[in-house]
Amino acid sequence: DAKTTQPNSMESNEEEPVHLPCNHSTISGTDYIHWYRQLPSQGPEYVIHGLTSNVNNRMASLAIAEDRKSSTLILHRATLRDAAVYYCILRDSGSTGYALNFGKGTSLLVTP
Amino acid sequence: KAGVTQTPRYLIKTRGQQVTLSCSPISGHRSVSWYQQTPGQGLQFLFEYFSETQRNKGNFPGRFSGRQFSNSRSEMNVSTLELGDSALYLCASSLAPGSGTNEQFFGPGTRLTVL
């Protein structure tokens, strides 16, 4: 799978929007962009994924650049519960396995 | 619907011993993957099983092994434990072998400490 680059850490105030960037300049046309997050003392949990178009679900929105070389995970109103490590992962649509390459992720701190 | 369960949650072993960790996937899920998480290396893929067959394996020594049973439950075994094996071991389940879109559901992990 192609590599992603994320900032090591970000900070946000509670109830404000948070934009978490991810660069994936070597993405291929068949790579899906997945986001997972890991809350303290828990296993990772799926957040959202997309291919080309922007995506929304109850947890977050995913904005994908037109050239697909970058994407942004948007938390519309950060809560203290959103403090976690966020991982941006590329998954080949032709992949036959579930080996996720997590990388280092972005540690999000949410302050009251 | 119950989530992924892992037992035990915490384990302390000494160097040279072996350990077996267990994972029960979400009902109906047939694919199980294992990951190791350490502060230095982060989350690293160990192996994936589907229909009792290992489909993928990460870059870990042969001391790390696993298996899957006909009810999709999985176990992983680490023999001749080393201090560096101290980690959080995470199990994840999915409906079927991966495509680019399927998501994985993770358990809470087993915290292994090797003394």
Side-chain angles (χ1 to χ4, degrees):
Chain A
D1 293 326
K3 185 182 160 116
T4 63
T5 304
Q6 299 177 252
N8 289 333
S9 62
M10 292 185 64
E11 190 169 338
S12 173
N13 293 322
E14 194 177 13
E15 297 188 5
E16 290 186 355
V18 181
H19 291 233
L20 297 163
C22 180
N23 287 319
H24 28 78
S25 58
T26 60
I27 191 171
S28 75
T30 55
D31 283 336
Y32 280 81
I33 302 159
H34 286 244
W35 285 81
Y36 281 74
R37 72 179 184 180
Q38 187 173 21
L39 280 64
S41 302
Q42 294 188 28
E45 64 175 346
Y46 166 82
V47 177
I48 199 167
H49 77 272
L51 183 62
T52 56
S53 305
N54 295 345
V55 184
N56 300 295
N57 66 19
R58 64 175 180 80
M59 290 180 70
S61 296
L62 176 60
I64 302 172
E66 197 168 329
D67 63 5
R68 299 205 334 120
K69 294 188 176 187
S70 66
S71 60
T72 302
L73 179 70
I74 302 167
L75 307 178
H76 295 286
R77 285 184 72 211
T79 68
L80 296 179
R81 193 192 171 278
D82 291 321
V85 179
Y86 287 79
Y87 298 95
C88 170
I89 302 167
L90 301 183
R91 293 280 292 142
D92 188 341
S93 62
S95 174
T96 57
Y98 273 112
L100 294 176
N101 181 5
F102 276 87
K104 299 295 185 185
T106 296
S107 180
L108 176 65
L109 175 67
V110 181
T111 53
Chain B
K1 192 155 140 177
V4 177
T5 57
Q6 293 187 242
T7 56
R9 292 293 311 278
Y10 301 91
L11 205 49
I12 298 176
K13 293 284 188 178
T14 56
R15 279 183 299 174
Q17 288 186 310
Q18 76 163 14
V19 66
T20 299
L21 311 181
S22 180
C23 171
S24 293
I26 291 172
S27 177
H29 285 194
R30 297 172 62 197
S31 177
V32 173
S33 299
W34 288 89
Y35 293 82
Q36 181 197 64
Q37 185 170 28
T38 60
Q41 299 299 318
L43 272 154
Q44 293 186 287
F45 171 75
L46 278 158
F47 25 66
E48 176 200 354
Y49 287 87
F50 175 75
S51 290
E52 303 176 64
T53 301
Q54 187 180 89
R55 294 176 54 87
N56 286 292
K57 189 176 191 306
N59 188 25
F60 279 82
R63 300 185 296 106
F64 291 82
S65 63
R67 60 178 175 167
Q68 186 181 35
F69 302 95
S70 58
N71 62 359
S72 295
R73 192 177 68 86
S74 177
E75 289 181 346
M76 67 163 283
N77 183 277
V78 188
S79 62
T80 319
L81 283 167
E82 301 177 359
L83 295 178
D85 297 332
S86 294
L88 180 67
Y89 290 88
L90 290 155
C91 169
S93 77
S94 306
L95 276 170
S99 67
T101 59
N102 292 349
E103 64 184 277
Q104 285 190 305
F105 296 83
F106 284 80
T110 293
R111 172 74 63 186
L112 171 66
T113 301
V114 182
L115 303 175

